[in-house]
Amino acid sequence: MNHSPPKPGSKIIIVGGGCFGLSTAYALSLKHEYEICVFDRRPIPCPDAASTAIESIGMWQEWNKERQESEQDPLFHQTGVLLFGRDEFSDSEKKSLKAIREAGYGHYIEEYNSPEEIIAKFPPFKSAVENGFKKAYLNKQGGWCNSAEAVKHVYQKCIENGVKFILGETEGRLDKLYYDPKDPKTVAGIQTTNGQTHYADLVLLTTGSWTAGLVDMHHQVVASGQEVIHFQPPSHLRKQWEKMPVWCGDLSITGYYGFPVNAEGKMKIGKHHSGYLNPRQTDQISVPRTQVTNSCDTIPVGALRQFRQFLGQFLPETSSLDISYARMCWYSDTIDGHFVICHHPDYQNLVVATGDSGHAMKFLPVIGFKIRDVVEAVDTDYTRAWKWRNMEAQNTKLDNLRAATVIQRIILEEKDNEDARMATLEEFKVARAHL
């Protein structure tokens, strides 16, 4: 199909007020040429949302300056990212180091030549090093962002630029796309669950891991659930762990990564792997299962067991701590680990921007400008890289950070699979955890 850029004055509906949706709404609003309306079923930031990096760093720093001027906490915390290997770095880390240096950013990297050097620089990881994580390098430019505050920051920018928001379970929730009665291959707007039709010249689905359940994506993306846990460490550990960098424990092999203790005293640890599936009965498409609709959900008990086993070696101090919180974080995983941002091949006037594959939030300041190029039919390296690719599911590979991961996705709450059931709150307590 041929796709023309929208004319000045066009109405553009964006479904989804997360990272991709808000960033796009902001980028489009800067042109003051379109009527932009964002729909979402929940307030922003949505409590069950998931969310080049070098290019985005400058914008993160600029936003930090804006926050400082208004006496608000920074969004981006440049703690550095410490990446561990075992006797050698994994192929993934070797490729990353090579790419960073070849791009001219070798000065961002501080590589450590011995286990003793790692321990001297980062004492909280003494046990990890002694238990086999003997190689490490620090990306000094890296860090972590407060994703909820970052989303709110962009949301406010959108409001200031005249973007309209329709939020709520009935008014803002997409029921289905609305097709032109004269041409069922042309999207003419959306219908919300209150039965109202909202007409548009262009519709963007920036619906993350929900996308495959809303429109036929020809198996190019799948919703996969990844596990996240929190600890609330006591004061003596909190003081040590507040000063940590972000860390990755041989990530492409184990999947585990973590963050320093935040201002609320919480330490978050996650697993980045092939994930879990939640197929719906009608068509077996995997769709997110979150605490918004399943308030008692945590993480699978098999995943809990694996967290405890890994952390028993990497951060053994956690073995005496209760897990204070846990949830599933849902990715929109693509077949090749790259975004899918393009016009949908089956319809006119429909753009899909999805396939976060677990690494979208860091692009928040800039991704909307790349999506705007797709909307306006601007040919760039990005629009070519993220176009529809017609790959087959058997060719699935994960992003580079999961390159060594075995693709073996378990179904949540699978019958006769004890590991797939949701762990109870009692099982998060050290004294009651019989795993």
Side-chain angles (χ1 to χ4, degrees):
M1 291 185 179
N2 294 321
H3 302 285
S4 301
K7 298 176 182 178
S10 294
K11 181 176 181 180
I12 299 174
I13 284 179
I14 298 174
V15 182
C19 173
F20 280 9
L22 288 179
S23 187
T24 305
Y26 175 60
L28 288 168
S29 72
L30 290 172
K31 304 198 76 167
H32 302 287
E33 291 183 0
Y34 312 115
E35 180 186 351
I36 306 160
C37 192
V38 178
F39 287 76
D40 202 294
R41 76 200 192 291
R42 304 290 295 180
I44 294 174
C46 181
D48 59 1
S51 327
T52 70
I54 292 296
E55 185 179 345
S56 69
I57 286 288
M59 284 295 294
W60 282 116
Q61 292 170 340
E62 184 62 32
W63 286 358
N64 276 355
K65 290 178 183 177
E66 293 175 6
R67 304 273 293 187
Q68 185 178 24
E69 290 169 1
S70 58
E71 298 183 346
Q72 294 177 289
D73 291 336
L75 299 175
F76 173 63
H77 301 260
Q78 192 175 334
T79 60
V81 178
L82 184 62
L83 300 107
F84 283 93
R86 298 183 191 262
D87 293 324
E88 292 290 337
F89 289 126
S90 68
D91 289 343
S92 170
E93 299 303 353
K94 290 176 181 177
K95 289 177 183 177
S96 294
L97 281 168
K98 184 173 183 288
I100 290 168
R101 287 168 172 151
E102 287 180 352
Y105 298 104
H107 56 288
Y108 289 173
I109 300 301
E110 187 172 288
E111 195 168 350
Y112 306 107
N113 297 315
S114 69
E116 294 76 19
E117 193 175 353
I118 302 170
I119 294 171
K121 185 77 173 181
F122 303 102
F125 296 107
K126 182 175 185 292
S127 294
V129 174
E130 291 175 344
N131 286 320
F133 294 87
K134 300 175 183 178
K135 298 278 290 184
Y137 72 91
L138 181 74
N139 185 327
K140 295 178 286 187
Q141 193 73 5
W144 63 278
C145 76
N146 184 327
S147 56
E149 285 299 314
V151 165
K152 286 195 285 187
H153 190 77
V154 184
Y155 175 47
Q156 186 59 43
K157 286 178 172 290
C158 288
I159 290 174
E160 291 169 358
N161 284 358
V163 176
K164 298 177 184 177
F165 287 85
I166 299 179
L167 310 174
E169 282 291 344
T170 58
E171 297 89 348
R173 187 186 185 106
L174 174 69
D175 180 37
K176 58 185 177 181
L177 296 169
Y178 175 75
Y179 302 97
D180 186 336
K182 298 179 181 179
D183 180 5
K185 290 295 185 180
T186 296
V187 173
I190 66 170
Q191 289 184 343
T192 45
T193 53
N194 61 359
Q196 187 171 352
T197 300
H198 303 268
Y199 298 96
D201 299 294
L202 183 73
V203 173
L204 275 77
L205 286 184
T206 56
T207 41
S209 51
W210 280 265
T211 306
L214 297 173
V215 66
D216 187 355
M217 292 295 294
H218 300 274
H219 306 290
Q220 300 302 293
V221 296
V222 62
S224 72
Q226 316 278 324
E227 316 91 276
V228 173
I229 64 172
H230 291 178
F231 290 102
Q232 196 94 26
S235 57
H236 71 285
L237 288 175
R238 176 174 176 171
K239 290 178 181 177
Q240 294 178 37
W241 292 348
E242 283 175 338
K243 300 175 183 178
M244 276 184 176
V246 177
W247 57 266
C248 299
D250 200 7
L251 183 63
S252 69
I253 306 294
T254 72
Y256 292 103
Y257 63 95
F259 299 86
V261 174
N262 67 15
E264 298 175 345
K266 298 175 183 177
M267 185 173 75
K268 171 183 169 182
I269 298 172
K271 189 174 183 182
H272 185 59
H273 64 126
S274 58
Y276 291 79
L277 301 179
N278 182 46
R280 61 187 178 191
Q281 292 184 349
T282 53
D283 55 12
Q284 296 303 298
I285 296 292
S286 181
V287 293
R289 171 176 165 147
T290 75
Q291 291 176 347
V292 169
T293 53
N294 297 77
S295 59
C296 294
D297 274 6
T298 56
I299 61 173
V301 70
L304 172 58
R305 183 186 301 113
Q306 292 167 8
F307 266 94
R308 287 295 194 184
Q309 290 171 347
F310 171 80
L311 292 172
Q313 288 203 321
F314 195 86
L315 279 176
E317 297 88 345
T318 62
S319 297
S320 62
L321 302 180
D322 293 343
I323 293 172
S324 58
Y325 175 74
R327 75 176 181 102
M328 301 299 292
C329 174
W330 288 88
Y331 294 0
S332 176
D333 267 329
T334 59
I335 287 178
D336 59 1
H338 299 299
F339 300 154
V340 175
I341 301 175
C342 56
H343 286 268
H344 195 289
D346 296 345
Y347 303 102
Q348 289 284 0
N349 304 336
L350 178 65
V351 170
V352 290
T354 187
D356 60 85
S357 299
H359 58 99
M361 179 52 69
K362 60 179 174 284
F363 298 96
L364 175 66
V366 297
I367 190 66
F369 295 93
K370 313 305 181 188
I371 299 173
R372 188 179 74 183
D373 286 341
V374 172
V375 169
E376 297 186 328
V378 178
D379 181 55
T380 71
D381 290 343
Y382 294 102
T383 61
R384 291 190 292 273
W386 298 336
K387 67 182 181 181
W388 196 271
R389 295 184 285 282
N390 285 320
M391 297 180 69
E392 299 297 329
Q394 62 263 29
N395 297 324
T396 296
K397 61 180 181 178
L398 302 174
D399 61 275
N400 190 47
L401 292 176
R402 294 179 282 175
T405 298
V406 176
I407 301 174
Q408 185 178 5
R409 291 176 167 134
I410 298 173
I411 296 174
L412 283 180
E413 301 275 75
E414 186 176 32
K415 186 179 179 182
D416 299 325
N417 185 349
E418 170 65 12
D419 284 349
R421 73 165 173 85
M422 290 292 179
T424 66
L425 296 180
E426 287 298 309
E427 287 171 315
F428 291 143
K429 297 179 181 179
V430 172
R432 305 291 289 275
H434 301 293
L435 305 177

